[in-house]
Each structure stands twice: as C-alpha cells, then as structure tokens.
Amino acid sequence: MPESLSAMKGQWDLVDFIEPTEIKRQPKGEIFNIDDWIDAETIAEAERAIQQLQPDVILVNYVMYSKILDLAPASCVKLLDTHDKFGDRHLLLDRANIPRNFFWTSPDQEGVGLNRADIVVAIQETEASYFSEISSSEIKLLKHAPAERATTSRINMGLFGVIGSNNRINQKFYQQLVDEWVRSASPRMHLFVAGDVCGSIDVASQNVSLIGRVDDLDEFYSTIDIALNPLVSGSGLKIKTLEALEYRMPIISTREGMMGFNAVHPFHVLESVQELVACSKEIQEKPDLLSGLADASTILLAEYCGNWRSDFQHLMSSIERLHVEKANLRTI
C-alpha cells in the first residue's frame, strides 16, 4: 500500500487517503443491500472532500460505494466505474460450488446504486447490456486500459503458465487445473503457477512449480511459452488474459477466460479445465500449431486496443457534453 500511495501522489495534485473501517460484512438476509458496505465515517470524509474541492467530475469505484455520488452537487458530472456485476453474484457462486464471498446483491438493489450516476462505466459488453436493463443512467463501455509490454520469441519448450490473485474463484479453478495437469499432462509439459493464489494450491508434482508473488512480470512471461486461463465461471474482464495478450503470448483459455474479447480461435473458447489441458497436450505434441495461436493473440490485442481508444473517446465526449449541460443549467 505505501508504494501505491506514493505512486498516486506522484500522479495527482492532491491525494487524501482515508483509513478503511472494519465492517462486519454479513448480509442481514439473503443479500446485501446496496449501502451495507459503506460506513458513516467514509461518507463524512467524502462529503468533506467534495465540499473542499467542489469538483466538476466525480468518479466512484464499485456500486457498493455509490452513495458517495449523492453527496455531489447538481453541477457535478457523476461517474460510477462498476468493475463487475454484483446483482445475483451469490447465485453464480452457488452454481460453481464456490463459497459466497465479497459483495453480492439483487439486480434491483444494484439498479438503485447505478441510478445515482450520470454515467455508468461497464468493463465488458455483457455487463453493459445488463446494466442498461436495470438502470436509466447512461451506460458506457470502457475496458481495462492496454499497456505496452516487453515481448520475447516463443520456442515451445512445453512451458505453460498461469498467474492470479488469491480469490475464491481463482482458488477453485487453479486447483482444478493443477489436479488435471498432474493427472493427464505429459512428463515433458511443465506448469508454472504464479501469484498469491499459490498460497491456496495443494500440489506435489515435478511437473508443477508454485512461484508465488512475482515482482517482475517481464521475467515471468519470458519464462513460459504459453499462457493459460482456466476460469470456467466469474464475471468482469479477465485482466490476466489481457496481460498475456499484451506480452504477445499464445494463450489457451476457457470461454469464460476470454469474456470481453472477440475470441474465435478454437483454443480460446474451451468449456472446461479438462479441455484446456487436452489442448495444451495437443499443442505440445504439434509445435506447428503455436504460430497460429500466437497470431490469434496478436489479432485480438490489435482489435482490443483499437476498440479501447474509440470507447475512451466516446466516454470523454459524454463527460464533456454533460459538463456543458450542467454548466448551462447553472446560468439559467
């Protein structure tokens, strides 16, 4: 956190850090109400900052903190960056046999939060469509900003890799991947697992290495020949898929792992972890397939970057239009 705070202070004119308050995060009934996760102290601090700064635009991250938007003056353009869909998220977790965690609510309650914003920012197309059904706010699509990454040539030595944080969804499907790898991958195939998720992975095999948190992504991606995404359930945009594409990595993924990308390669739309490992074996046995998979990654990334630039321009145009409209109302 200190490093992140220092970086933010280097980027912005003013950074005001509010220490988080511990909240007992258990719903009173089946779901959380939309404001159950925001406490009075945070509201008070946000109100103080808004009164001090008198911003033209305010951006709130995550729908469970949308109450802050109600504090903004009428002249302020209010944006909500959703990051994820939380309506009926508990049902998605239940279907995947994953313990309920983090935040979940109903579509109606999520709509209450979304309607506090002038503009709701969705991170992928499916969620943009869903938000438009439950909210009267203007919905704009803006995915994660692409980054320039170092690239290396691929030589198909049978080195595969995944990287992920230690959330419940990753825990389940990364463990499934490791189990299936031990069960059916050939001895010439090696799987590297990186990230905090390693703390929840149970494995004893010479074909799997748990690296843990990595300080240098360039080094990790230069170690492997092919990136994998084994997620079969979830929501939002899979940032680790984008990250692998930025490194021009050939990637083998489930359909869910490619959500938010216009994937067409058959190795990008797999339905299970078992299919993913089977395709990993196929490409290790048939190295000629690697170049086609790498080309598919290059095409996906180029399309993604082009769409992102267009979506960003549309979002900025909407912010500027609303700012002018609200300014005109002040002068009437």
Side-chain angles (χ1 to χ4, degrees):
M1 184 61 202
E3 292 179 0
S4 298
L5 189 57
S6 176
M8 285 188 284
K9 288 180 176 179
Q11 180 70 31
W12 301 95
D13 295 330
L14 176 65
V15 175
D16 194 358
F17 176 64
I18 303 171
E19 289 284 350
T21 302
E22 187 68 29
I23 301 174
K24 186 179 181 181
R25 290 173 172 167
Q26 291 295 328
K28 296 182 177 70
E30 180 71 2
I31 62 164
F32 289 104
N33 288 324
I34 197 63
D35 296 329
D36 281 353
W37 271 39
I38 190 162
D39 60 285
E41 182 182 352
T42 300
I43 289 292
E45 289 288 344
E47 187 171 23
R48 177 192 59 77
I50 290 169
Q51 290 176 350
Q52 175 188 348
L53 298 172
Q54 290 296 303
D56 296 314
V57 179
I58 183 169
L59 170 66
V60 169
N61 288 277
Y62 288 106
V63 70
M64 67 283 274
Y65 302 119
S66 62
K67 191 173 183 179
I68 292 172
L69 294 173
D70 287 341
L71 306 174
S75 60
C76 183
V77 180
K78 298 179 288 185
L79 277 75
L80 178 62
D81 194 352
T82 57
H83 295 280
D84 220 329
K85 169 193 171 192
F86 292 100
D88 288 341
R89 182 175 179 271
H90 58 304
L91 302 182
L92 180 149
L93 295 172
D94 291 349
R95 287 193 295 270
N97 293 316
I98 296 172
R100 296 180 182 184
N101 66 96
F102 198 49
F103 182 80
W104 66 88
T105 190
S106 68
D108 286 345
Q109 281 287 294
E110 189 162 33
V112 169
L114 299 180
N115 284 337
R116 290 165 167 162
D118 297 312
I119 299 174
V120 172
V121 181
I123 202 168
Q124 48 114 314
E125 291 87 351
T126 303
E127 291 176 10
S129 177
Y130 162 75
F131 294 147
S132 68
E133 293 174 359
I134 65 170
S135 171
S136 58
S137 297
E138 184 175 347
I139 311 297
K140 288 295 181 183
L141 176 68
L142 188 67
K143 299 178 182 179
H144 193 75
E148 289 292 329
R149 305 282 191 181
T151 59
T152 58
S153 59
R154 309 296 163 204
I155 53 177
N156 196 28
M157 295 292 291
L159 306 177
F160 299 77
V162 292
I163 182 169
S165 60
N166 196 28
N167 63 59
R168 294 286 181 86
I169 293 175
N170 283 353
Q171 289 169 11
K172 173 173 181 173
F173 294 114
Y174 281 44
Q175 185 67 61
Q176 283 188 6
L177 171 63
V178 166
D179 292 345
E180 183 65 21
W181 199 270
V182 172
R183 185 164 42 247
S184 60
S186 79
R188 293 172 295 171
M189 298 166 60
H190 197 91
L191 176 65
F192 293 92
V193 183
D196 289 341
V197 70
C198 291
S200 300
I201 300 296
D202 181 25
V203 63
S205 171
Q206 294 182 342
N207 291 71
V208 179
S209 296
L210 302 181
I211 300 174
R213 178 175 291 195
V214 295
D215 296 323
D216 186 351
L217 287 174
D218 291 356
E219 182 178 350
F220 170 71
Y221 281 104
S222 67
T223 300
I224 65 175
D225 302 312
I226 300 170
L228 306 177
N229 191 328
L231 299 185
V232 179
S233 180
S235 57
L237 183 75
K238 306 307 180 286
I239 304 302
K240 292 306 175 185
T241 295
L242 174 59
E243 193 173 84
L245 294 176
E246 290 168 347
Y247 280 99
R248 288 13 178 225
M249 292 294 306
I251 182 168
I252 301 175
S253 175
T254 58
R255 186 183 302 276
E256 180 63 39
M258 280 290 181
M259 189 65 68
F261 301 88
N262 296 323
V264 294
H265 194 286
F267 283 15
H268 288 165
V269 290
L270 305 174
E271 300 297 344
S272 67
V273 171
Q274 290 75 20
E275 286 185 15
L276 186 144
V277 175
C279 288
S280 300
K281 289 175 62 177
E282 182 177 355
I283 204 165
Q284 199 274 333
E285 294 165 358
K286 302 174 182 177
D288 291 345
L289 296 176
L290 189 65
S291 61
L293 195 58
D295 290 344
S297 290
T298 300
I299 293 169
L300 272 182
L301 180 63
E303 182 183 57
Y304 182 95
C305 291
N307 289 340
W308 187 89
R309 287 189 290 268
S310 176
D311 292 338
F312 180 76
Q313 290 168 358
H314 288 154
L315 175 60
M316 294 306 296
S317 294
S318 291
I319 295 171
E320 292 168 2
R321 170 180 51 79
L322 283 170
H323 177 59
V324 170
E325 290 175 2
K326 287 173 178 273
N328 289 339
L329 286 174
R330 290 200 303 267
T331 61
I332 295 175

